[in-house]
Amino acid sequence: MSHVSEPTPGELVIVTGMTGAGRSTAAKELEDLGYFVVDNLPPTLVRDVVRLVDDSRGITQPIAVVVDVRSGSFFDSLQANRHQQVTGRPTTLLFLEATDDVLVRRQEAARRPHPLQAGGRLLHGLRREREVMADIRGDADVLLDTSNFNVHQLQDRIAGLFGTEAHTRLKVTVISFGFKYGIPVDADWVADMRFLPNPHWIPELRPQNGRDPDVAAYVLSQPGAGQFLDQYLPVLRTVAEGYLVEGKRFMQVAVGCTGGKHRSVAMTEAIAGLLREAGHDVSTAHRDLGRE
């Protein structure tokens, strides 16, 4: 007697975050990736949308719903529904944010008032929004800071996060950065490579970057580099296993050096390679490469 396996439910992505941080762009990209998208949905209706999509398109159809600050107190029901797993689907809460100055600039360019501005300054509306969204931000599975993204870069990041059918594997992003440009606010783990000698002070290596073989070989051959990898990778693997047990399927590891060009880039590629060997779905990003 043959057994027919049950179809795997499609992903449910809840998109929320700050006004001007890119919710509409994320929603459009998810739609292009095949998601059934509903914008500006009261959280209390998420279960109804899932049921209607299940009935009309089947449970394998991935769904994305966009929830914004206008939902107000309904956020409480959203968090309760997620924790109780009432939809029966793997669910990811994506929170988009950016710095105040970037959000102000974007809103002014769009010539649109903030929904919480209430006749006051735009900045006051943003600050009220941060207060309202604080709890749900802390509950996010994926926290994405779009301050340095243009539209195409945000689309690429969304595609990298949600454009694969391998929903059961942990998706790890290893990102290099320069401390002089600030630490990525969406990082789960931050590693500092400034304990290694800087290739910047070697004339023949200065114009290259950490993806070039000569720079990578120099960085990885330094005293302490191998020991760091030997001790850091088991920690990341342990955390990754715990994330999967707890239902978290995204992890972002940030690796920094002074300018984000040599040491952090080389170590980012090394860490990503070792995590891939361990069976994780890994992508890399070099935030500040070419910025100097």
Side-chain angles (χ1 to χ4, degrees):
M1 181 177 177
S2 62
H3 295 277
V4 178
S5 60
E6 292 292 329
T8 302
E11 179 119 19
L12 170 62
V13 179
I14 300 170
V15 182
T16 190
M18 298 294 295
T19 301
R23 293 189 309 254
S24 296
T25 299
K28 185 179 185 305
E29 180 61 23
L30 286 165
E31 189 172 26
D32 291 343
L33 292 171
Y35 282 73
F36 181 89
V37 178
V38 181
D39 199 358
N40 192 23
L41 183 75
T44 50
L45 298 181
V46 170
R47 295 175 66 179
D48 295 326
V49 168
V50 171
R51 187 180 67 253
L52 290 170
V53 173
D54 287 350
D55 292 343
S56 63
R57 301 196 177 198
I59 66 172
T60 60
Q61 169 65 54
I63 304 171
V65 296
V66 184
V67 181
D68 64 31
V69 72
R70 288 170 289 182
S71 299
S73 60
F74 292 134
F75 277 129
D76 292 338
S77 67
L78 172 63
Q79 290 174 283
N81 286 346
R82 288 186 65 241
H83 289 304
Q84 295 167 13
Q85 298 180 330
V86 296
T87 66
R89 286 171 172 258
T91 302
T92 298
L93 175 60
L94 169 65
F95 191 99
L96 303 175
E97 69 174 13
T99 60
D100 283 348
D101 60 327
V102 169
L103 293 175
V104 167
R105 191 161 60 246
R106 290 174 181 173
Q107 285 297 102
E108 288 178 343
R111 299 182 182 277
R112 298 179 62 185
H114 190 280
L116 298 184
Q117 193 169 340
R121 294 179 58 201
L122 176 56
L123 190 58
H124 293 161
L126 290 170
R127 288 172 178 168
R128 292 192 191 100
E129 184 176 29
R130 288 199 191 278
E131 293 174 2
V132 171
M133 305 288 273
D135 287 344
I136 200 165
R137 178 187 184 277
D139 207 29
D141 298 301
V142 181
L143 176 64
L144 201 55
D145 183 352
T146 69
S147 301
N148 296 316
F149 288 179
N150 58 35
V151 170
H152 301 297
Q153 289 170 326
L154 178 54
Q155 290 171 336
D156 289 344
R157 182 60 66 87
I158 296 299
L161 290 170
F162 301 104
T164 172
E165 296 179 357
H167 296 306
T168 59
R169 298 171 66 194
L170 183 72
K171 299 175 184 177
V172 183
T173 301
V174 189
I175 180 170
S176 67
F177 71 95
F179 276 95
K180 69 180 182 179
Y181 302 116
I183 297 174
V185 299
D186 47 356
D188 298 300
W189 289 83
V190 177
D192 185 352
M193 295 299 105
R194 291 175 295 183
F195 72 94
L196 298 172
N198 193 347
H200 174 82
W201 303 113
I202 300 177
E204 60 269 27
L205 298 181
R206 182 179 300 176
Q208 302 182 54
N209 65 66
R211 290 183 297 188
D212 292 312
D214 290 345
V215 175
Y218 174 84
V219 171
L220 296 175
S221 68
Q222 296 304 308
Q227 182 181 6
F228 169 80
L229 289 172
D230 290 342
Q231 295 179 357
Y232 193 52
L233 265 295
V235 173
L236 293 180
R237 287 194 289 264
T238 300
V239 172
E241 292 170 4
Y243 272 20
L244 287 173
V245 170
E246 292 299 313
K248 288 176 62 67
R249 289 171 294 110
F250 300 91
M251 181 169 74
Q252 181 150 299
V253 180
V255 183
C257 63
T258 304
K261 179 178 179 180
H262 295 111
R263 293 165 291 182
S264 63
V265 173
M267 284 302 241
T268 288
E269 295 293 340
I271 291 170
L274 291 170
L275 288 173
R276 288 191 189 100
E277 291 177 7
H280 297 299
D281 185 353
V282 184
S283 61
T284 60
H286 300 293
R287 191 192 72 178
D288 298 324
L289 190 59
R291 190 169 179 176
E292 75 285 345

